[in-house]
Amino acid sequence: MGSSTVLPAIIFLPLVGAAAIALIAPSRSTVLKPVAVATSAATGALTLWLMAAFDKHDGGFQFTQFAEWIDSAGISWHVGVDGISLFLVVLTGLLFPIAIVACDPPHDAKAYYIWMLVLETGCLGVFLALDLVLFFLFFEIVLIPMYFLIGSWGHENRKYAATKFFLFTMLGSALMLVGMLVLALLTARETGNAVTFNVLELANSAGELPTITARWIFLSFVLAFAVKVPLFPVHTWLPDAHTEAPTAGSVILAGVLLKLGTYGLVRFGLYLFPEASRYFAPLLFTLGVIGILYGAVVATMQRDLKRLVAYSSVAHLGFIVLGIFSINTEGIEGGLLQMVNHGLSTGALFLLVGFIYERRHTRQISEMIGLQKAAPVLAAVFTVVMLSSVGLPGLNGFVGEFLILAGAFVAHRWWAVVAAAGVILAALYLLWAYQRVFHGTPDDTNRSMPDLNWQEKLVMAPLVGLIVFLGVYPKPVIERMEPAVNALIEHMEEVEGFESPTVDDRPEGSFEELRTLKSDYGDEGEGH
Amino acid sequence: MLSVFAQADIPDIQWLPLIPHLVMAGAAVVLLTVVSLAGNRLPGWFASAWTVAAGLGVLATAIPVWLRVDQEGPSSTIAGSIGVDQFSVFIIVVLACTVILTALVADGFLHRESLDAPAFYVLLMLSAAGGITMASANNLIVLFLGLEILSLAVYVLVAMHLRRAESQEAGIKYFVLGAFASAFLLYGIALVYGATGSLNLIDIEGILRGDELGDNGLLLAGMAMLLVGFGFKVAAVPFHAWTPDVYQGAPSPVVSYMAAGVKAAGFAALLRVFFAGFGPVADDWQPVIFGLAIASLAVGSMLAIVQNDVKRILAYSSISHAGFILVGVQAATDDGVASVLFYLAAYAAMAIGSFAVVTVVSGPGDEGTGLDSLRGLATRRPLLAAGFTVLLLSQAGIPFTAGFWAKFEVITAAVDARSFWLAVIAMLAAVVAAFLYLRIVVAMFLDAPDPDAPRLRIPRGPALAITIVVLFTLAFGIYPEPLLNLANDAFLLITFTAPH
């Protein structure tokens, strides 16, 4: 695939929209939202076109564009998309218009829409950048709009949450900057080439660095991503940020921003540091499993519905990390798929919690009872989304968790067993919360709560539709991911002559059925 | 004119590279004469316009010097005491821009405070002339002269606000401590002379390269004392104690100049003496700079957090920036020098802009410099708040600002010199420092404005200056290549004649 301008168009279209909004006169504030919706919807349409035009048999980067930028430092404008980033781009393209349509800011609408669109540009840039510095620039700049979104439109404790979010994330990436420079400079010294931050070239010379050095650099990268994911024990910013953020902020934070971390682990962890990834894999999936259990237990204890959803993210992201560091096709695919699933289901959950908050002005579980009677449609949608988050077969969450557990089981059996217990805990806290909020006889305040209006139904429709569709027929997603994931595994094996554990290699052969089950699943889907 | 000098019995002089020096110093003297003669008949804007013109004149005359060195290579003039190199031209340009922008900021301020305007501009230009001499001195005595011209003018500028006791106090404090530091510097020069037998940096470099003087006690003591003197000028810990008090007490536009100009001149002299002159014994002084850098980074960023006065916050942050620049100095490589130059240019823009905002916001009497005075600035003056935010984010090193590339270059130089831990500590300090910039942003955007706050008037001069530095910060944040190339070209190489 030659040079293409579709990716820059996707990245910069929201920024153009933000500039347009900035120029709208204060007297014409009614056009602010239409412009923001139109821009983000157009970006979403472009990402859908990208998915349609994507060559599903190609495991490499497509639609790449390269231009020299800061030549003296070896930094270039280099973007491209592969099966790993494709669906995160599409997810971003979908969630932003939904979040913008769903929630109106109570004040300062102009600044709000500008920050939302700048945030979209930042997120898309992170997923599409193929130059390490370019990636870092987008990765860092995302902080600014999110900081202002939480700080200006958040709830009571917003200043604290915004500052904590900013500093935690910046702490992670500060060390990553040093790691990046060490990587580029030492690689240039080892290979004798000019300094470059081109990810493809760095990956090609990934085996050149001394093992110990590469491990240190890997750790500096992992810290940055672990904060963003967030992995236990650097997750403490997340509950505050999610709870205090305005609804749209929470949706984007959970749906897209957390994926910057897990995406980074795959693209810049596994891809650039095959040996170090394998060396530190036990540490990382152990932290992932701790996150699964810890997130679930803490979520169970929450009295605040939004905080509960926030902690459920810690558990879900633990699953994704477990999948990624199984370092086999099933695990990584499952992790990637689960990133999309988590974006859809947790995004939807935050929207629903936001809808409830707008009506009841509380997030306390104890103050809500019997909402099912007052708002049956809301309850029904909540049920579907919650079950997807729990991982009920037939909905999207199941497919991802299943693949992750399949991959993890092969790689590290007992961790998979423990993680599977996390699935049960997820059912526990979510169902219990549902029971407390929606079941029972509503008291006077809860009885009068209005149901979803047409706009809110419209917003939830695509999310619920995708949750069901991906649960029944995940093949279109998986088949586009598979070549890229296989290419990644091959690259890792090539660099250090390491064989990834696969289902077929197991001497017992007792996991044969996993492989069969998985392909059955795809075939079953084809039948529809 | 030239032929008259050529016949006299004086050392060979290249006049072209001296023109920027003469323009800056001459403009000050001429302005002093004109205002003494013309008195009140001159319009109010005259002195500031004159200063801007002088700054532009220096810029214009610096370009041919740059081009000539580009072709012929670096050399020296006046018996090897003034260096003709692109490094000094770069600093001269930074100083000239600082003078122009400070003059713009001061314009409205001096009116508001009804202070004697022409003296301010005369001292500003004299001080910059001293800075230019410091930046190009290849002789320790010439360097000392430059430093004293720069400092004496700044002592007076700091105490300029006659009706504010804080300003007087700051002036005395800065003068006493500054004189002390100058004494250290002079004693250091004497000791270095004792050890090497020369005051000329080119000779000293040659002697150190040839002889094993690395463990010579006189030389080591001399270098240590020189470091004390320079450390004071650039506000590095532990020679920083004056900074918060003086920054808080001095008139705000003067602080603009001190943070941008005096720091640039101080670092230029530091690099000339240590990187170029004492380059062969870099192993002796690198560890000391390493320690100064860590101390400045840690103390600057941590003490800034507990301050409640914007000028004090920015004073401590300037200490932390000095630490960052020292990280580039510590690398002791050409890349390190280039990163320092880039950082100085980027920091000059941020510092002038930030203190210009403080000047505008502080109100009559220059009193309102508390964090409270910025509350709700985003509602009262959205554009001013947005501009200040850009400058603060640049100071924090957020991408797409010049400040990011400044940190990027410095850390690159440190990593390239294998000072990995210094790079890590510097970045950690940057995170701590980010907190204090966020505090200011929180005050501007997230706090409700004081309903009784008077309407803020933004005079044209500061508005123009802030616009220029914000555009500079953003433009070189998005495309830093031109400035990076200039900094990379500005080699610091001291030599008597151009190598052919």
Side-chain angles (χ1 to χ4, degrees):
Chain A
M1 221 10 113
S3 171
S4 166
T5 49
V6 62
L7 296 186
I10 288 177
I11 295 175
F12 289 115
L13 190 57
L15 200 62
V16 172
I21 288 175
L23 295 175
I24 292 174
S27 55
R28 309 192 54 191
S29 57
T30 46
V31 299
L32 290 173
K33 185 166 180 179
V35 173
V37 172
T39 320
S40 58
T43 313
L46 273 179
T47 62
L48 289 178
W49 180 86
L50 183 74
M51 182 171 68
F54 187 83
D55 177 5
K56 62 183 174 185
H57 303 296
D58 185 356
F61 290 98
Q62 305 181 23
F63 304 99
T64 52
Q65 194 195 37
F66 182 88
E68 279 174 4
W69 180 24
I70 305 168
D71 216 20
S72 57
I75 302 164
S76 53
W77 167 266
H78 190 192
V79 289
V81 66
D82 70 348
I84 292 172
S85 53
L86 175 67
F87 290 97
L88 294 168
V89 173
V90 177
L91 178 73
T92 312
L94 285 180
L95 276 183
F96 268 92
I98 288 176
I100 291 175
V101 171
C103 325
D104 293 324
H107 57 92
D108 295 322
K110 190 173 182 171
Y112 174 85
Y113 290 120
I114 291 176
W115 286 130
M116 281 298 277
L117 291 174
V118 171
L119 183 62
E120 184 169 13
T121 287
C123 293
L124 290 166
V126 168
F127 292 134
L128 293 172
L130 290 182
D131 183 280
L132 208 45
V133 175
L134 187 64
F135 164 82
F136 185 83
L137 291 173
F138 282 122
F139 189 76
E140 280 269 277
I141 201 69
V142 163
L143 291 183
I144 308 292
M146 202 65 222
Y147 172 80
F148 280 104
L149 283 173
I150 298 175
S152 297
W153 291 274
H155 299 291
E156 309 80 44
N157 211 3
R158 57 181 188 273
K159 278 183 228 166
Y160 169 77
T163 307
K164 190 170 176 183
F165 161 77
F166 193 101
L167 292 179
F168 258 74
T169 322
M170 194 173 170
L171 176 70
S173 36
L175 296 185
M176 184 183 164
L177 180 66
V178 180
M180 262 165 49
L181 290 168
V182 176
L183 173 69
L185 294 175
L186 289 191
T187 305
R189 208 171 280 178
E190 295 285 338
T191 57
N193 297 331
V195 175
T196 176
F197 289 93
N198 188 328
V199 175
L200 305 182
E201 287 178 33
L202 287 174
N204 283 337
S205 41
E208 307 274 341
L209 282 187
T211 313
I212 301 294
T213 315
R215 286 178 188 168
W216 277 107
I217 305 172
F218 176 77
L219 279 184
S220 78
F221 278 48
V222 162
L223 182 64
F225 298 138
V227 171
K228 204 80 163 190
V229 168
L231 263 180
F232 180 88
V234 281
H235 65 281
T236 56
W237 62 269
L238 178 132
D240 290 312
H242 274 71
T243 314
E244 300 302 330
T247 302
S250 305
V251 172
I252 299 303
L253 198 52
V256 181
L257 250 64
L258 304 189
K259 310 308 178 304
L260 305 186
T262 44
Y263 169 77
L265 286 175
V266 178
R267 173 74 77 227
F268 303 101
L270 299 188
Y271 189 46
L272 293 184
F273 305 98
E275 195 278 338
S277 301
R278 200 164 53 84
Y279 182 81
F280 285 112
L283 171 72
L284 285 158
F285 61 68
T286 305
L287 289 178
V289 171
I290 293 177
I292 294 172
L293 296 179
Y294 173 84
V297 170
V298 179
T300 317
M301 304 299 160
Q302 295 305 313
R303 298 198 180 95
D304 180 323
L305 194 57
K306 207 172 179 186
R307 242 181 142 78
L308 185 148
V309 180
Y311 272 108
S312 83
S313 284
V314 177
H316 282 115
L317 272 294
F319 262 109
I320 297 173
V321 172
L322 176 67
I324 291 171
F325 282 94
S326 301
I327 316 189
N328 52 33
T329 313
E330 286 79 14
I332 297 175
E333 264 177 32
L336 292 173
L337 190 59
Q338 196 64 357
M339 287 185 211
V340 178
N341 292 337
H342 175 261
L344 294 173
S345 57
T346 308
L349 274 180
F350 273 121
L351 279 176
L352 290 167
V353 174
F355 293 156
I356 295 175
Y357 181 78
E358 276 170 30
R359 290 164 165 74
R360 293 279 293 101
H361 298 287
T362 181
R363 298 186 307 257
Q364 295 300 315
I365 296 174
S366 59
E367 290 180 31
M368 295 180 254
I369 188 167
L371 294 187
Q372 198 170 331
K373 296 225 168 43
V377 180
L378 194 153
V381 174
F382 199 99
T383 312
V384 175
V385 173
M386 174 197 69
L387 291 176
S388 142
S389 192
V390 170
L392 188 82
L395 297 176
N396 62 348
F398 174 74
V399 188
E401 280 182 6
F402 180 80
L403 283 173
I404 289 172
L405 288 176
F409 198 84
V410 174
H412 317 281
R413 187 189 304 184
W414 291 107
W415 277 265
V417 172
V418 177
V423 181
I424 302 167
L425 285 173
L428 175 73
Y429 64 78
L430 278 169
L431 289 175
W432 191 34
Y434 182 84
Q435 190 188 359
R436 284 179 289 169
V437 172
F438 287 93
H439 286 180
T441 319
D443 54 17
D444 290 343
T445 40
N446 285 310
R447 192 174 297 134
S448 55
M449 194 184 90
D451 206 346
L452 293 184
N453 60 29
W454 67 269
Q455 188 190 343
E456 289 161 347
K457 284 179 195 161
L458 187 75
V459 161
M460 296 309 296
L463 292 174
V464 173
L466 280 171
I467 283 172
V468 176
F469 179 80
L470 290 179
V472 182
Y473 188 53
K475 185 163 164 272
V477 176
I478 291 180
E479 72 181 0
R480 280 174 175 78
M481 283 176 180
E482 188 136 341
V485 172
N486 285 335
L488 173 65
I489 303 250
E490 267 168 39
H491 164 77
M492 293 180 72
E493 289 174 348
E494 199 177 303
V495 167
E496 52 146 0
F498 143 76
E499 289 270 314
S500 94
T502 64
V503 177
D504 308 318
D505 295 342
R506 298 301 295 199
E508 299 96 327
S510 56
F511 307 113
E512 210 54 56
E513 62 263 39
L514 285 182
R515 173 66 92 175
T516 331
L517 249 173
K518 186 199 147 211
S519 50
D520 278 356
Y521 209 85
D523 294 343
E524 181 200 16
E526 261 171 320
H528 278 261
Chain B
M1 184 75 185
L2 285 177
S3 58
V4 177
F5 282 100
Q7 286 159 12
D9 184 23
I10 48 177
D12 186 33
I13 297 176
Q14 306 177 48
W15 285 99
L16 182 72
L18 293 180
I19 295 176
H21 299 232
L22 297 175
V23 169
M24 189 60 97
V29 176
V30 170
L31 178 64
L32 189 62
T33 319
V34 168
V35 294
S36 324
L37 295 176
N40 294 330
R41 273 165 292 169
L42 291 167
W45 48 262
F46 176 79
S48 118
W50 175 268
T51 311
V52 171
L56 292 173
V58 173
L59 288 183
T61 51
I63 294 169
V65 184
W66 175 279
L67 296 176
R68 181 150 131 194
V69 181
D70 214 26
Q71 283 177 356
E72 298 177 4
S75 59
S76 298
T77 185
I78 318 188
S81 59
I82 292 284
V84 182
D85 43 49
Q86 283 163 318
F87 173 85
S88 59
V89 178
F90 193 99
I91 296 288
I92 288 170
V93 168
V94 171
L95 282 169
C97 293
T98 307
V99 167
I100 294 172
L101 292 167
T102 308
L104 288 175
V105 177
D107 183 37
F109 173 84
L110 295 171
H111 266 288
R112 189 182 76 198
E113 308 294 325
S114 44
L115 293 167
D116 184 13
F120 178 91
Y121 298 104
V122 170
L123 289 167
L124 179 66
M125 285 187 283
L126 275 179
S127 167
I132 290 174
T133 309
M134 271 170 88
S136 33
N138 271 354
N139 183 301
L140 288 170
I141 289 299
V142 174
L143 186 133
F144 182 75
L145 281 177
L147 184 119
E148 283 304 290
I149 296 170
L150 170 117
S151 305
L152 285 170
V154 176
Y155 299 145
V156 183
L157 281 173
V158 168
M160 189 101 199
H161 204 310
L162 301 171
R163 288 179 300 281
R164 274 191 83 209
E166 293 93 335
S167 177
Q168 311 296 309
E169 183 196 322
I172 291 291
K173 203 173 251 174
Y174 191 38
F175 172 69
V176 172
L177 288 173
F180 205 53
S182 295
F184 266 99
L185 192 83
L186 200 54
Y187 198 36
I189 292 172
L191 291 179
V192 169
Y193 179 74
T196 61
S198 175
L199 285 168
N200 191 299
L201 288 172
I202 308 167
D203 287 335
I204 292 174
E205 202 260 1
I207 292 162
L208 292 180
R209 191 179 295 281
D211 291 345
E212 291 293 324
L213 276 177
D215 51 355
N216 181 302
L218 268 185
L219 180 73
L220 291 180
M223 285 201 293
M225 297 212 167
L226 283 170
L227 263 185
V228 173
F230 291 132
F232 177 85
K233 280 291 162 235
V234 302
V237 176
F239 315 112
H240 69 290
W242 58 275
T243 318
D245 291 347
V246 173
Y247 276 30
Q248 189 183 14
S252 301
V254 175
V255 187
S256 280
Y257 173 73
M258 287 173 73
V262 176
K263 226 184 221 8
F267 271 109
L270 178 66
L271 279 173
R272 277 202 103 79
V273 174
F274 280 83
F275 175 74
F278 299 148
V281 289
D283 289 347
D284 285 338
W285 53 264
Q286 263 176 312
V288 184
I289 301 271
F290 189 99
L292 291 181
I294 289 182
S296 307
L297 286 163
V299 171
S301 46
M302 285 188 207
L303 290 189
I305 292 174
V306 295
Q307 305 301 323
N308 280 317
D309 183 284
V310 182
K311 278 165 98 178
R312 284 186 88 86
I313 293 179
L314 291 176
Y316 278 108
S317 105
S318 91
I319 295 172
S320 153
H321 283 292
F324 252 103
I325 301 172
L326 284 171
V327 172
V329 176
Q330 191 270 344
T333 57
D334 285 334
D335 285 346
V337 174
S339 74
V340 169
L341 289 177
F342 187 92
Y343 205 114
L344 286 172
Y347 179 68
M350 311 176 226
I352 294 174
S354 304
F355 285 107
V357 175
V358 175
T359 310
V360 171
V361 174
S362 61
D366 211 9
E367 296 289 350
T369 56
L371 204 49
D372 288 344
S373 63
L374 287 170
R375 285 170 59 123
L377 191 66
T379 357
R380 290 159 63 203
R381 281 288 185 176
L383 275 179
L384 186 66
F388 196 20
T389 306
V390 169
L391 297 170
L392 290 172
L393 294 179
S394 179
Q395 297 209 41
I398 298 296
F400 302 111
T401 60
F404 172 79
W405 296 109
K407 291 205 164 57
F408 186 89
E409 285 295 297
V410 167
I411 299 294
T412 306
V415 167
D416 207 28
R418 298 194 159 263
S419 309
F420 302 124
W421 290 111
L422 188 57
V424 168
I425 291 169
M427 287 313 292
L428 290 178
V431 178
V432 178
F435 177 70
L436 65 103
Y437 304 121
L438 282 187
R439 277 184 72 205
I440 303 180
V441 174
V442 165
M444 288 195 296
F445 281 85
L446 309 184
D447 287 344
D450 184 358
D452 307 329
R455 197 179 140 62
L456 209 55
R457 226 181 62 76
I458 309 179
R460 244 173 298 161
L464 182 62
I466 295 169
T467 312
I468 292 172
V469 293
V470 168
L471 289 180
F472 173 93
T473 303
L474 287 176
F476 287 116
I478 292 165
Y479 190 62
E481 183 83 343
L483 191 57
L484 281 178
N485 283 339
L486 285 181
N488 279 322
D489 288 346
F491 280 121
L492 174 52
L493 185 68
I494 52 171
T495 170
F496 282 113
T497 51
H500 284 290

